[in-house]
Amino acid sequence: MGSSCGRVCWKWRSPLRRLAGFSRLLSTAALAPQICVVGSGPAGFYTTQHLLKHHRLARVDIYEKLPVPFGLVRFGVAPDHPEVKSYGAEDNRILGIPGENLSGVYSARAFVGWYNGLPENRDLKPDLSSETAVVLGQGNVALDVARVLLSPLDILRKTDITEGSLAAIACSKVKRVWLVGRRGPLQVAFTIKELREMINLPGTRPLLAPADFTGLGDVIKDVPRPRKRLTELMVKSALEKPGEKEAGRWASATKEWGLKFRRSPLEVLSAADGKQARGIRIAVTRLEGSGESARAVPTGEVEELECGLILSSIGYRSLPLDSAIPFDPKLGIIPNSLGRVQGEPGLYCSGWVKRGPTGVIITTMNDSFDTAQSVLEDLQTGVLHLSSSKEGFKSVRSILHSRGVHPVTFSDWEKIDAAEVARGKLAGKPREKIVDPQEMLQLISH
C-alpha cells in the first residue's frame, strides 16, 4: 500500500495504481455494506455519489495514490477549460514509428500533465524553441494542446496553469501549430465548441485549405446534426470570405494553426546530432469507405514537415491493476458486464477502465451511475455475500500503520487547497497548484 509520497489520501490512496473508479466491496454487515473505491477522479466520485444516495447505510471509502483528489478534474486537458477536462487513463498509445524517442517528441498526456501540475510530469521541460509544432491527432485534446501553445499570456495568467509552465510558455518560440490526422474533415474527433474557440483565439489565424472542404456541403446533408454543424463551421472558415472584423484580426495575427488531413506519421526525423527532432515524415493517405468507418490507406506519396516539437495525441489507454484481476490489453479495459468484473464477484469497475478511453465528464457520470446501480442490485438480490469478519477501512488502516504509511485525510487536503488558493490569489489566479508531493506533505505536517 502506499506509493512515492508514502501517504494515503483521505482514507484514500490507491494500494496499487489509481484507475478511473475501481471499486471492491469490503463489508461489515448485510445492511451496512462497506465499499472501497480506488481512484478519486470523476468516475470514483460519481460512483460513490450514486451509492450513498440510494443506500442510506452504505459506507464508502475512497483511496487515491496522490495527496490531492479529483483526478482529471484537477489534472485534465486545459486549464482554461475546467468544465470539460477529459482524460483519465494512465498511459498513452505509442506511435510505433522510428524516432519517436528523440528529444522534442512528447505524448500529449505528458504535456497536459506538465502544464496542469501532475506531479509525475512536473520535470518534463518540453523544448519550445521551434517555431513550428506538430500535434498528431485531431481530437479535443489535440485542439486544447494547440490552444495552450498559442494562447496570449494574458489569458493563461488567469487560469490555474502552473507557474513553471506559464514561464516556459512565455519564452516559447512556437508560432505555428499543425494538427495532423490520418483521415478527413468528416472524421475529426473534436467538437464544435473547441473548434469555434480555436478559430476565435486572439492573435491567431486558422489555416484551412479550401481544397479539403470543396464539395462537402452536399455530402453532409444526411449526417447527424452535431457532425453537420461542425463540418459547416470548417467549410465556412475555409471557403467563405471572412467578415471585416475577422479579416482584420487574422491579418494582424502573429501566430497560426492549421489542419492537415489524410496524413499518417511514418518517421520522426533527427537533427544532425542524432538526438533532437527536426521534423516528421508523413504518408499521404486516401480514404476507403465513408463516415466513421472510413479507413486511411497510404497512397505511396510522402511529405516532410519541419518542426522541433511533436506531440502525440492519438489516444489513451488504461493499465492493468494487478495480475490477479482480468484485463484485456488490446481494448485496454477490464472485461465486465455493466461494471461487474468477469469472474470476480464483489469487484466492479467504472470509467475508462470499464469502457475504454472515450467521452467526457458527463459520459463518465452516466457510466459511473450504471456501475453503482449494478452494485446496488447485487446487494438487494443477495448476490454479494457480505460478512461481518471483513472490517473495511479498519483493516486497511492497520495494514498502513504496520508499513509506516500515514493517510492524508480530507482535512489535510483542505490545508493544501487553502494554501494553493492563497498563492493563486497573490498572482491573480484561481489557485497556484503545488506540484511536489513532498511539499504537500510538509504543509499538512505543521
Side-chain angles (χ1 to χ4, degrees), residues 4-5 66-68 74-75 112-124 160-165 416 420 423 429 432-441 443:
S4 59
C5 302
L66 293 171
V68 291
R74 177 180 170 97
F75 301 119
V112 165
W114 169 70
Y115 63 62
N116 273 314
L118 185 62
E120 67 186 68
N121 299 127
R122 68 184 186 274
D123 297 322
L124 188 67
D160 66 358
I161 190 172
T162 63
E163 182 180 9
S165 302
I416 298 172
E420 290 185 340
R423 295 180 187 187
K429 301 168 60 177
E432 184 60 60
K433 291 177 185 171
I434 299 169
V435 299
D436 185 352
Q438 293 303 320
E439 185 179 351
M440 297 177 191
L441 300 182
L443 273 174

Side-chain angles (χ1 to χ4, degrees), residues 114-299:
W114 169 70
Y115 63 62
N116 273 314
L118 185 62
E120 67 186 68
N121 299 127
R122 68 184 186 274
D123 297 322
L124 188 67
K125 295 182 175 62
D127 185 348
L128 306 179
S129 62
S130 171
E131 287 192 359
T132 300
V134 166
V135 181
L136 300 173
Q138 293 181 337
N140 279 342
V141 174
L143 273 188
D144 287 337
V145 165
R147 192 179 65 255
V148 168
L149 281 170
L150 298 176
S151 285
L153 289 177
D154 287 346
I155 292 178
L156 294 179
R157 285 193 183 101
K158 297 174 184 176
T159 73
D160 66 358
I161 190 172
T162 63
E163 182 180 9
S165 302
L166 184 62
I169 292 174
C171 298
S172 170
K173 298 294 192 293
V174 176
K175 59 176 61 177
R176 181 182 305 104
V177 179
W178 290 109
L179 295 99
V180 177
R182 293 180 299 109
R183 300 192 292 172
L186 291 174
Q187 289 81 35
V188 296
F190 50 73
T191 50
I192 192 168
K193 178 182 182 295
E194 281 66 33
L195 175 63
R196 184 179 292 114
E197 187 169 358
M198 199 70 193
I199 290 172
N200 295 325
L201 187 65
T204 70
R205 58 175 166 265
L207 302 174
L208 302 179
D212 288 329
F213 302 93
T214 303
L216 284 186
D218 294 331
V219 177
I220 62 174
K221 288 179 179 178
D222 300 322
V223 301
R225 187 169 183 269
R227 171 70 64 184
K228 181 179 180 181
R229 291 178 61 235
L230 172 64
T231 309
E232 285 174 343
L233 178 57
M234 287 190 286
V235 169
K236 178 181 178 181
S237 301
L239 301 181
E240 295 184 12
K241 184 178 179 180
E244 184 177 342
K245 183 178 179 180
E246 197 170 54
R249 182 170 59 82
W250 290 354
S252 62
T254 58
K255 298 180 180 180
E256 56 193 15
W257 65 275
L259 299 170
K260 284 190 175 293
F261 299 108
R262 294 179 289 276
R263 301 291 187 274
S264 183
L266 291 175
E267 178 184 4
V268 177
L269 306 173
S270 67
D273 62 4
K275 299 178 181 179
Q276 177 71 35
R278 67 166 178 83
I280 186 166
R281 181 174 292 124
I282 52 180
V284 179
T285 64
R286 59 181 175 82
L287 297 186
E288 288 187 352
S290 60
E292 300 298 328
S293 62
R295 292 176 57 251
V297 179
T299 63

Side-chain angles (χ1 to χ4, degrees), residues 297-309:
V297 179
T299 63
E301 185 182 349
V302 173
E303 296 177 349
E304 291 186 4
L305 275 177
E306 294 294 321
C307 57
L309 175 63

Side-chain angles (χ1 to χ4, degrees), residues 412-433:
D412 292 333
W413 149 243
E414 289 179 321
K415 295 177 184 177
I416 298 172
D417 179 49
E420 290 185 340
V421 171
R423 295 180 187 187
K425 187 175 182 180
L426 292 175
K429 301 168 60 177
R431 72 173 60 240
E432 184 60 60
K433 291 177 185 171

Side-chain angles (χ1 to χ4, degrees), residues 258-413:
L259 299 170
K260 284 190 175 293
F261 299 108
R262 294 179 289 276
R263 301 291 187 274
S264 183
L266 291 175
E267 178 184 4
V268 177
L269 306 173
S270 67
D273 62 4
K275 299 178 181 179
Q276 177 71 35
R278 67 166 178 83
I280 186 166
R281 181 174 292 124
I282 52 180
V284 179
T285 64
R286 59 181 175 82
L287 297 186
E288 288 187 352
S290 60
E292 300 298 328
S293 62
R295 292 176 57 251
V297 179
T299 63
E301 185 182 349
V302 173
E303 296 177 349
E304 291 186 4
L305 275 177
E306 294 294 321
C307 57
L309 175 63
I310 299 169
L311 296 162
S312 171
S313 182
I314 58 172
Y316 302 94
R317 65 187 182 97
S318 296
L319 294 173
L321 178 66
D322 185 81
S323 58
I325 296 170
F327 188 77
D328 185 330
K330 184 176 181 180
L331 298 178
I333 63 169
I334 293 175
N336 69 92
S337 176
L338 298 178
R340 298 177 178 92
V341 177
Q342 292 180 9
E344 297 286 342
L347 195 61
Y348 302 81
C349 57
S350 182
W352 282 11
V353 77
K354 171 186 174 183
R355 70 179 187 275
T358 58
V360 291
I361 287 180
I362 186 67
T363 322
T364 296
M365 180 185 74
N366 292 325
D367 175 82
S368 301
F369 289 170
D370 289 342
T371 292
Q373 193 60 37
S374 292
V375 176
L376 294 170
E377 290 173 3
D378 291 350
L379 285 169
Q380 185 176 12
T381 59
V383 171
L384 294 172
H385 300 289
L386 305 183
S387 167
S388 60
S389 65
K390 295 182 179 179
E391 298 182 349
F393 180 67
K394 290 181 181 179
S395 177
V396 174
R397 180 167 50 197
S398 66
I399 296 173
L400 295 174
H401 286 175
S402 72
R403 299 182 181 182
V405 178
H406 304 287
V408 174
T409 66
F410 189 76
S411 296
D412 292 333
W413 149 243

